[in-house]
Amino acid sequence: MEKNIDWGNLPFGYVECSKSFVANFKDGKWDEGTFTSDHTVTLSECAGVLQYAQTCFEGLKAYTTPAGKIVTFRPDLNASRMADSCRRLEMPVFPEDRFVQAVIDTVKANIDWVPPYGSGASLYIRPYMFGSNAVIGVKPADEYQFRIFVTPVGPYFKGGAKPIKIRISDLDRAAPHGTGDIKAGLNYAMSLHNIVDAHKCGYDENLYTDPASHTYIEETGGANIVFVTKDGKLVTPKSNSILPSVRRRSIVYVAKEYLKMEVEERKINKSELSDFAEAGLCGTAAVIAPVGEIDDHDKKIMIPSGMEKCGPVLQKLRSLLIGIQMGTEKAPDGWIVEIK
């Protein structure tokens, strides 16, 4: 059934769709899972997720291609990353093959909610898991729920590919040897006060440095960051407390294999920021969002690519990635999963 939605003007927000996927873990095993049109969750007031934040999540998208196909991008990597998150949080792993199939089936169950090609919108897919039974002592829950909901969304940054302004944060996103490399809800809770403050101060995001020395660049509150040197090299920060972004890993591959660029993954001292020609945030929601200005307290670092448009190298990478997703560029094997 065709939806009466202004697809071209969607915010990045939640719209209740037709069906959600639900599976429950009890007595040491997962049930078969089912679809529900009830989009509420009923829990004990003492549920593990409410008491000790035992929850993790993923995010990916489904798109309509110019050929009219509906596809999603590398869901196997989201399945693998969620498995890593679950192991770290002492949660049962939802089998990776079942994760991918559940994503496909959930999009199929909500196929009328996938925005049309050319609208700039997509169907955001949110798999997540949480401890569901009552836990009062500090320990892992015994029962868990794995769910997937979907929602049509517009661009994460309203300007699309227009450069954004970010600031170096005094606060930390993650602790040394902590949970920065998994997609735990608690990591994002830590960043909420800081992102609200950043927006009040006129910034789109916070750029976090390493929590041990506050010297090396790590990532922003919601995305990894990449840089391009003046001689055309792609550089990405290396750290054990950075989330392994599916998009960043894909950008690195495309840069190496499609554009034959030299790529470095290394520690990046914040003193180097003024030496880069381009900078951009990369994530499922943002694809690549160019950065035009980075403020380090009283010091303004203006990225040479400017505040008007994406730099040429990141624009080429962005176009290639979108082309791969949309089927206009040849995709590496296994990257694109066709749903319809």
Side-chain angles (χ1 to χ4, degrees):
M1 181 188 295
E2 190 171 325
K3 302 297 177 188
N4 184 24
I5 294 174
D6 184 0
W7 299 110
N9 288 299
L10 278 173
F12 194 89
Y14 174 70
V15 176
E16 190 175 284
C17 293
S18 303
K19 300 283 185 180
S20 294
F21 177 80
V22 184
N24 289 287
F25 182 90
K26 188 174 181 179
D27 299 326
K29 63 186 181 196
W30 287 103
D31 65 17
E32 291 182 2
T34 188
F35 281 99
T36 179
S37 55
D38 182 357
H39 301 287
T40 60
V41 178
T42 303
L43 289 171
S44 163
E45 63 184 353
C46 195
V49 61
L50 302 178
Q51 302 308 313
Y52 304 119
Q54 201 182 12
T55 179
C56 60
F57 69 97
E58 278 297 323
L60 61 163
K61 288 180 175 180
Y63 311 80
T64 303
T65 71
K69 296 176 181 178
I70 293 173
V71 301
T72 190
F73 185 74
R74 307 190 78 180
D76 57 317
L77 293 190
N78 295 95
S80 173
R81 189 169 64 182
M82 186 169 221
D84 289 341
S85 297
C86 289
R87 282 187 279 265
R88 181 75 68 82
L89 295 171
E90 287 297 328
M91 301 168 75
V93 170
F94 192 73
E96 293 181 34
D97 57 338
R98 288 190 62 190
F99 177 105
V100 173
Q101 191 60 51
V103 165
I104 293 168
D105 292 344
T106 305
V107 175
K108 284 181 178 177
N110 296 280
I111 208 77
D112 294 335
W113 294 93
V114 182
Y117 174 74
S119 64
S122 55
L123 188 74
Y124 189 78
I125 307 162
R126 171 54 61 85
Y128 63 110
M129 190 190 300
F130 53 88
S132 55
N133 69 299
V135 181
I136 195 65
V138 181
K139 62 179 182 178
D142 298 312
E143 298 175 10
Y144 296 84
Q145 193 164 101
F146 171 77
R147 299 178 70 102
I148 303 176
F149 69 79
V150 297
T151 180
V153 295
Y156 189 73
F157 292 109
K158 291 180 182 175
K162 188 173 173 60
I164 60 174
K165 177 181 171 184
I166 64 178
R167 69 175 183 184
I168 292 182
S169 174
D170 289 324
L171 302 181
D172 292 329
R173 177 190 156 269
H177 312 294
T179 57
D181 61 334
I182 64 169
K183 210 164 174 66
L186 59 92
N187 294 344
Y188 295 80
M190 286 175 65
S191 72
L192 294 178
H193 166 73
N194 212 18
I195 192 62
V196 169
D197 184 66
H199 289 164
K200 284 179 182 174
C201 296
Y203 297 96
D204 295 286
E205 254 292 9
N206 292 292
L207 180 58
Y208 293 96
T209 51
D210 72 292
S213 71
H214 293 173
T215 302
Y216 299 99
I217 299 302
E218 294 226 317
E219 62 177 313
T220 67
N224 281 185
I225 190 166
V226 297
F227 300 95
V228 178
T229 63
K230 289 171 182 171
D231 58 356
K233 188 185 301 179
L234 187 73
V235 183
T236 70
K238 185 174 185 177
S239 165
N240 291 331
S241 52
I242 291 177
L243 186 74
S245 161
V246 173
R247 190 71 53 179
R248 193 251 306 155
R249 285 180 277 174
S250 303
I251 288 168
V252 165
Y253 182 91
V254 168
K256 286 179 178 176
E257 302 299 328
Y258 284 61
L259 298 181
K260 306 304 178 188
M261 290 175 64
E262 187 177 345
V263 177
E264 285 184 354
E265 185 179 2
R266 62 171 175 81
K267 285 189 171 184
I268 300 172
N269 194 299
K270 65 179 182 178
S271 65
E272 296 181 61
L273 289 174
S274 56
D275 297 334
F276 293 116
E278 301 178 39
L281 308 189
C282 54
T284 296
V287 187
I288 297 178
V291 174
E293 179 181 336
I294 303 173
D295 285 4
D296 183 3
H297 301 85
D298 294 333
K299 181 183 178 184
K300 288 186 185 299
I301 300 162
M302 305 305 297
I303 305 298
S305 52
M307 288 298 294
E308 294 304 312
K309 60 182 182 179
C310 190
V313 176
L314 290 184
Q315 180 58 53
K316 193 176 289 186
L317 282 166
R318 189 176 192 274
S319 297
L320 269 171
L321 268 175
I322 292 172
I324 288 169
Q325 290 169 187
M326 293 299 178
T328 57
E329 297 282 350
K330 182 172 171 53
D333 288 345
W335 278 29
I336 302 301
V337 174
E338 188 174 331
I339 292 166
K340 177 188 174 187

